[in-house]
Amino acid sequence: MREFWLCFVPLFVAVDAVGILPIFLGLTAGLPLPRRRRIVKQSVATAGAVGVGFLFLGQGVLRLLGITVADFMIAGGLLLLALATLDLLIVSKQPHPAADPETLGAVPIGVPLICGPAVLTTTLLLANQFGWLWTSLALIVNLLLAGIILWHACVLERVLGNAGSRTVSKVACVLLAAFAVMMIRKGVYGVIAENPWPT
């Protein structure tokens, strides 16, 4: 059981469900509750499939394709930056997400917000140290906790009201853009560290 908690805590920090909450509210602003909860289910299912799949196949696939974690961070950051920019530039009387609500749970909420490069990297490191069983169990529990937090996001929205929700929506877009830039920056640093300039 000690191994489970040693895996759970780093993954809890990596998933950061509380930090994702304002971004989730911003991306799903104006959507009815049933559709929002379908998005939560889709996001947890997608994050679970990608996380568990990467846990067992990640190292082999990355080596086969020649892709590094730094490459993942740059690609994910560019995707998030594009989404945040679109949402900030679109002006409408009714708040709405810039992405397609039918796929919003998969991308970008499921991947790379819930299950991003930090989670993928952490799972591989923990699996090498504590084994696949404890790591996969801790990952699944963390994803379920993230789903529960997002499932009850409407409670926070009711507290904020319509004006507050729209404000959170725009602030969340800025946070999403900043998060994207951070991912790109770390990815670039990672690429430079892996491929130092010749001296």
Side-chain angles (χ1 to χ4, degrees), residues 96-169:
H96 57 84
D100 181 5
E102 296 301 321
T103 61
L104 187 60
V107 179
I109 297 175
V111 177
L113 282 179
I114 295 178
C115 187
V119 174
L120 298 179
T121 305
T122 303
T123 55
L124 288 182
L125 294 175
L126 292 174
N128 289 333
Q129 187 173 1
F130 299 107
W132 306 103
L133 176 62
W134 293 114
T135 305
S136 58
L137 183 59
L139 175 63
I140 291 170
V141 171
N142 269 295
L143 294 179
L144 291 175
L145 283 175
I148 292 171
I149 291 172
L150 298 182
W151 186 271
H152 296 287
C154 57
V155 176
L156 177 59
E157 190 173 37
R158 282 200 297 268
V159 172
L160 293 172
N162 185 50
S165 297
R166 296 190 67 176
T167 301
V168 168
S169 173

Side-chain angles (χ1 to χ4, degrees), residues 1 4 9 21-22 33 44 61 70 75 78 88-89 104 106 114 120 135 150 156 163 173 181 190 197 199:
M1 196 62 180
F4 169 78
V9 173
L21 183 58
L33 183 59
V44 173
V61 172
L78 289 173
L88 280 171
L89 293 178
L104 187 60
I114 295 178
L120 298 179
T135 305
L150 298 182
L156 177 59
C173 288
V181 171
W197 296 103
T199 56

Side-chain angles (χ1 to χ4, degrees), residues 16-37:
D16 190 20
V18 177
I20 294 169
L21 183 58
I23 299 175
F24 173 82
L25 285 173
L27 293 173
T28 59
L31 294 179
L33 183 59
R35 177 172 289 187
R36 181 177 291 185
R37 288 189 165 173

